Each structure stands twice: as C-alpha cells, then as structure tokens.
Amino acid sequence: MEITTIGLDIAKRVFQAHGVDAAGRAALRRKLGRSEVLDFFRVLPPCVVGIEACGTAHHWAREIRALGHEVRLIPAAYVKPYVKRGKTDAADAEAICEAVTRPTMRFVPVKTPEQQAVLVLHRTRDLLVCQRTMLVNALRGHMAEFGIVARQGVGGVSELLAALRGQGMAGLPSLAKEALLGLADEIEAIERRADEIEAAILVWHKGTEASRRLATVPGIGPITASALVATVGEVSNFASARHFAAWIGLVPKQNSTGGKPRQGGISKAGDRYLRRLLVLGASTVIRHNRTKAGEGWLASLIARRPTMVAAVAQANKAARIVRALLAYGGSYDPQRSAARPAVA
C-alpha cells in the first residue's frame, strides 16, 4: 500500500511513525531512533508529514521538507482530541496522522533558522531579566532585615549597591555582607549580559526593513518590533487583522450559547511573549496620553473603562496596525489611525 500521510511523534531519542494510505487504512507503524529518522524519510515517496509544534519541531520540519515531503506542524492542543484512549507515543502518532488530514485544521508555519536565532536572543534576554528581578528582590529583602531600605525602581537598586560597597555598612555582619556582595556581583554581571543581547537585537532591528517600519507604531520599540517580525514570518498566513490579533491572544474569551454572546477577559491562548510586550507598550501609550491630556479614541476609552482594559484594547489596535503594515507595506500614519481606530 502506498503511504500518503504520516504522523510523526517526535521526542529526544525515540520517535514513533504512523502512516496511512489514500483510503485512510493504517499502512505503517514503526518506532525510529533519532539517527534513523532522516534515512527512513529519504527512501519514502513524497507524502504529507504531520508533526506536533513542540520543541525541535521546526528543525525536523526543515530537514524532512528538504527530502521532498510536505510537512505540516499542528498545535499540540489541536491533536489531543484525536487521541482515542490512553497516552502512548503510538497513539499520539496515530492522532497526529488523523488530525493533519482534517480540512479545517490550523497549522503552524515552519520557522527559518534566522527567525529562530533572533527568537533565541529574545528568550535569553527574557530569562536574564527574570533572573535579575529575582536577585534584586532577594537583595532588597535581605538588606531590609538590617534596616537598609531604598526606593523602588532601577535607581533604588543602584542605591543599594552603592550602600553595600560603601563605608557606612560597619553594622552589617561580615557573613551577611559577603553573601550580599555575591548577589550584587551577579546582578551586575547579568545586567552586562542583558545589555549585550539588547545591543545584538538592536543591530538586527536596524538591518531589517520590516522591523524598522513596525517601530514607528506607538507603543512598539525595537524589542517588540524585532520579536513580531521574527515570530510572524509570512503575514499571508493570517486572513485578516482580527485573525492576527486573535492569534496573539488579544481578544475576549467566548462562552456563548443559545444566540446569547458572552465575552470575558482575554484568555491565556496565543503567543504570551508578544502579548506581554504589546500590553506593556500600550500601558506606556496610556501614561503618555494621560500626561498630555490627549483626546480621541484612547482618551475616551480611558475615561470610561479600567486602565488594563484600555491597555488591552490599545494592544489589540497596535496588533492590527502591525498586520496591515506587514501585509501592505508603508509606515505608521497617525492621521489615518486617528480617523480609523482599528485597521480591519
């Protein structure tokens, strides 16, 4: 029987393949070692290969696609309903094989190595920022136990570090000072490394025309613009601006039935990293708007709704503008945006 579709459940060492013919009958069930995967697909006639969009999925998709096969990545949440009973690698491969043939199934575009390289910079920077926050909180808490308190923000951290290394800490026990100096050294090392990564992201941003255009949108800077360009890839994968905003997760969660629409807050679905960047940028736009006592759509929304609701609405608007700029080119036009609150 000629195999037309294969579901591949990937792992670190042991892979499971499930293949069917044109009639949907099972024609292959095979366990593969990591070193056997490419040799296995090299001798197969071209077919459709479904893979869950999880760790290392983009690498295997590129490798298998280079052998002449059509590779489709499926979100793991969309595969789960097709698992009939139990949880095994063979059952997962069978479920992937069935899900990949559904006409309404949604797929994840395969990222290029360049896209993943930029996203590695972003993930590394995000990890370093989290670690710096943890260390700063620990330093603040420990020094507060000895009556040393500084104001919030980056300036407060600088005050703590200066006080720790100053001459006015005679009352601090030597054991505590030694431990706190170690935390201070770690904070400064992480800040240096984060600055280096941000500089690398800025270099890529300046050399990428699409990223520079996105940075003209209010609330979007080089970090957010480069993350958007590296994550989105081909904007043609999104049918509309609404589709793009929903993919990020900036739309209300639906719980409607009987013809009665019920909308809640935004869910955790979508790209959490992009959503966080856009909401943070929208919060900055709101602060600026309040300072200038601005008028228009955003000012009226701030006056009647909570600040976080307005921030999400502004982030949704920014996402729609991003999709329009990526699809049709050009730069952000404030006058056109004021006339049309959201890009359709």
Side-chain angles (χ1 to χ4, degrees):
M1 291 182 289
E2 183 180 356
I3 298 174
T4 59
T5 307
I6 290 180
L8 182 65
D9 183 64
I10 61 178
K12 187 175 181 180
R13 293 188 178 88
V14 179
F15 295 57
Q16 188 74 37
H18 182 94
V20 297
D21 60 10
R25 295 187 296 266
L28 171 72
R29 294 187 182 91
R30 183 170 174 180
K31 185 183 295 185
L32 302 169
R34 183 181 181 88
S35 60
E36 300 173 329
V37 175
L38 295 182
D39 292 336
F40 169 76
F41 283 101
R42 188 174 288 111
V43 299
L44 279 181
C47 60
V48 176
V49 181
I51 304 175
E52 277 188 346
C54 55
T56 73
H58 292 277
H59 163 73
W60 288 111
R62 292 193 297 266
E63 294 292 328
I64 295 173
R65 178 182 287 177
L67 299 176
H69 301 281
E70 180 183 353
V71 182
R72 301 174 182 174
L73 299 183
I74 312 175
Y78 296 165
V79 175
K80 188 175 181 180
Y82 294 92
V83 179
K84 296 179 176 62
R85 177 177 290 183
K87 173 65 177 72
T88 63
D89 292 345
D92 289 345
E94 182 180 358
I96 295 170
C97 187
E98 184 174 353
V100 77
T101 60
R102 299 299 90 195
T104 58
M105 182 55 62
R106 300 173 184 176
F107 301 105
V108 177
V110 179
K111 288 184 172 57
T112 64
E114 291 75 18
Q115 286 179 272
Q116 288 190 294
V118 177
L119 292 177
V120 166
L121 288 177
H122 279 271
R123 299 298 184 266
T124 304
R125 174 188 173 274
D126 197 40
L127 176 62
L128 292 175
V129 170
C130 290
Q131 291 177 341
R132 181 181 61 186
T133 302
M134 294 169 61
L135 290 170
V136 167
N137 290 339
L139 183 65
R140 285 182 179 275
H142 294 324
M143 295 190 71
E145 293 294 333
F146 298 96
I148 306 169
V149 179
R151 58 191 174 91
Q152 294 182 348
V154 178
V157 178
S158 302
E159 292 175 6
L160 286 177
L161 296 178
L164 184 61
R165 292 194 168 94
Q167 302 298 324
M169 302 293 294
L172 188 66
S174 58
L175 288 177
K177 186 172 183 178
E178 181 179 355
L180 294 176
L181 285 173
L183 291 179
D185 292 340
E186 289 295 328
I187 292 172
E188 292 174 345
I190 287 179
E191 286 180 344
R192 287 193 298 270
R193 181 58 183 145
D195 291 341
E196 293 173 358
I197 293 178
E198 287 184 5
I201 293 175
L202 185 60
V203 169
W204 186 88
H205 163 76
K206 290 181 177 179
T208 307
E209 185 263 345
S211 183
R212 294 197 306 271
R213 288 191 291 108
L214 294 190
T216 61
V217 180
I220 296 180
I223 297 295
T224 306
S226 58
L228 283 165
V229 173
T231 305
V232 171
E234 292 294 332
V235 74
S236 58
N237 294 315
F238 302 96
S240 65
R242 290 187 181 128
H243 183 196
F244 182 72
W247 172 73
I248 296 176
L250 291 169
V251 295
K253 185 178 181 180
Q254 294 278 350
N255 187 22
S256 304
T257 184
K260 296 180 180 180
R262 297 185 181 90
Q263 295 183 344
I266 60 173
S267 68
K268 293 184 179 179
D271 193 303
R272 290 178 292 179
Y273 182 65
L274 292 182
R275 181 168 62 246
R276 173 156 53 91
L277 291 177
L278 287 172
V279 171
L280 289 174
S283 300
T284 303
V285 173
I286 288 176
R287 287 196 299 270
H288 180 70
N289 190 275
R290 281 176 172 166
T291 302
K292 294 184 64 175
E295 300 178 356
W297 169 79
L298 183 58
S300 62
L301 182 62
I302 296 171
R304 68 179 189 272
R305 299 302 299 273
T307 301
M308 186 52 65
V309 173
V312 173
Q314 173 63 26
N316 184 293
K317 176 184 176 181
R320 295 185 179 205
I321 295 173
V322 164
R323 193 267 177 187
L325 295 182
L326 291 177
Y328 306 115
S331 299
Y332 173 72
D333 185 359
Q335 299 300 326
R336 184 178 181 183
S337 177
R340 299 179 62 186
V343 180

